[in-house]
Amino acid sequence: MFWALATAITLHLAAGMAPSKPATSANTAPSSSAVSPYQNPSYDSEAEAQLLKMANADRTRTGLPPLRMDDGLVRAARLHAAEMASQHQLSHQFSGEPSLTDRISASATLHLSRAGENVALATTPEDAHEALMSSPPHRENLLSPNFNVAGIGVFRSGNRLYVAQDFGSSMATYSVQQAQQLVAASVEQLRYRARMPRLQRVENGTMQSSACAMAEADSLAGPNPAPGSYMLRYTSMTPETIPSQISKVIARRGLHTYSAGTCYARTQKYPNGAYWVVLVFY
């Protein structure tokens, strides 16, 4: 029996993090021909299912909900498992390979707030799972209450299994109307907590266009507000969450009416999605 492991520290996908440093393994596979990183019969779907079943059994024993297998995360994990097999070693990112964040955003349509990855090399799914659960950082990913979705990729090379486990915290996505309503509800709640008069919400179709223009430019920069108005621009992973510095402005006296515009987009800064929000107060 042999195994080797490497883990990626949990990442906040919208926080502008640096790529994980590649991990090295003392065990490398024997030389073989190059492996296609796309659909390949060497992917062991049975082993993938076994690893998910064992992970969810351990989560259940600790009172955690099971992980849901996501097809997009499976694609990302399989691509990386195949890449490890072709390189004959474990790593979270090889030279010329996209980062974990970019691999996930290219393969999955999920709106994720964070992600993590385990990689392992073993002869059986049972050995891989046992080794992962015996290692504190790998166990932390497998039993993290923050993760609710996973993709497991297993590439078989001879008697060796190259395993990649990609984890994510998947959040709901909302329609424009739903997102704007959640922003409006948060504005009203902030005013109530600050004991300020309730503001009148005014529908303004240009607000959504302004929010989407920011998303397209991947920047909070925009035109100056009209005279007599006050404009706030920000991004948030959830439309109901207003940044603290914005909250203080909303609680000010002298405000009477406002308009809100939102646009959900996946951009270079936010490859797994974020809400771009414009608030104008009159």
Side-chain angles (χ1 to χ4, degrees):
M1 177 179 68
F2 74 92
W3 49 264
L5 305 173
T7 187
I9 297 173
T10 301
L11 307 173
H12 291 272
L13 293 179
M17 68 291 173
S20 303
K21 294 182 179 180
T24 59
S25 166
N27 299 301
T28 57
S31 300
S32 62
S33 58
V35 177
S36 169
Y38 301 100
Q39 188 61 37
N40 190 299
S42 294
Y43 291 128
D44 192 330
S45 58
E46 183 176 343
E48 293 166 354
Q50 285 181 267
L51 284 164
L52 179 67
K53 183 178 180 180
M54 289 184 287
N56 281 337
D58 284 327
R59 289 177 67 88
T60 299
R61 279 190 285 271
T62 57
L64 293 170
L67 296 167
R68 174 177 60 85
M69 191 80 95
D70 176 77
D71 289 343
L73 289 180
V74 170
R75 285 192 292 271
R78 283 184 167 186
L79 286 170
H80 189 59
E83 184 64 24
M84 290 192 297
S86 70
Q87 299 284 346
H88 318 311
Q89 63 177 308
L90 299 183
S91 176
H92 290 292
Q93 185 178 7
F94 294 99
S95 177
E97 184 187 27
S99 67
L100 171 62
T101 302
D102 291 337
R103 294 200 313 269
I104 289 176
S105 64
S107 299
T109 59
L110 297 170
H111 176 40
L112 298 179
S113 62
R114 65 183 68 195
E117 181 176 75
N118 291 339
V119 296
L121 177 61
T123 53
T124 69
E126 292 80 6
D127 286 346
H129 182 72
E130 180 182 354
L132 290 165
M133 288 296 291
S134 298
S135 168
H138 300 84
R139 180 186 178 90
E140 183 178 349
N141 273 342
L142 284 162
L143 300 183
S144 172
N146 297 314
F147 294 143
N148 54 14
V149 290
I152 299 176
V154 177
F155 193 96
R156 182 176 292 278
S157 178
N159 69 336
R160 297 186 171 193
L161 300 179
Y162 287 86
V163 178
Q165 298 176 324
D166 290 347
F167 306 96
S169 176
S170 179
M171 299 182 296
T173 54
Y174 302 96
S175 68
V176 171
Q177 292 74 20
Q178 289 173 325
Q180 289 181 359
Q181 189 58 44
L182 288 169
V183 170
S186 294
V187 169
E188 293 170 6
Q189 187 178 40
L190 282 169
R191 295 287 294 183
Y192 176 79
R193 288 204 301 263
R195 299 183 178 180
M196 290 288 105
R198 183 174 181 177
L199 302 178
Q200 179 184 359
R201 182 184 172 192
V202 177
E203 296 292 340
N204 186 336
T206 64
M207 292 297 98
Q208 182 189 347
S209 299
S210 297
C212 288
M214 290 193 309
E216 185 175 353
D218 210 3
S219 170
L220 291 176
N224 294 325
S229 63
Y230 192 84
M231 180 178 288
L232 300 174
R233 308 182 185 95
Y234 64 92
T235 58
S236 179
M237 295 302 291
T238 56
E240 62 268 32
T241 303
I242 297 178
S244 58
Q245 64 270 30
I246 301 293
S247 302
K248 296 176 182 177
V249 176
I250 295 173
R252 288 179 179 175
R253 296 181 182 275
L255 304 178
H256 303 287
T257 61
Y258 75 101
S259 297
T262 64
C263 187
Y264 175 79
R266 294 157 66 97
T267 68
Q268 185 174 357
K269 288 182 181 177
Y270 302 97
N272 289 280
Y275 290 89
W276 297 74
V277 183
V278 177
L279 288 171
V280 177
F281 297 89
Y282 309 91

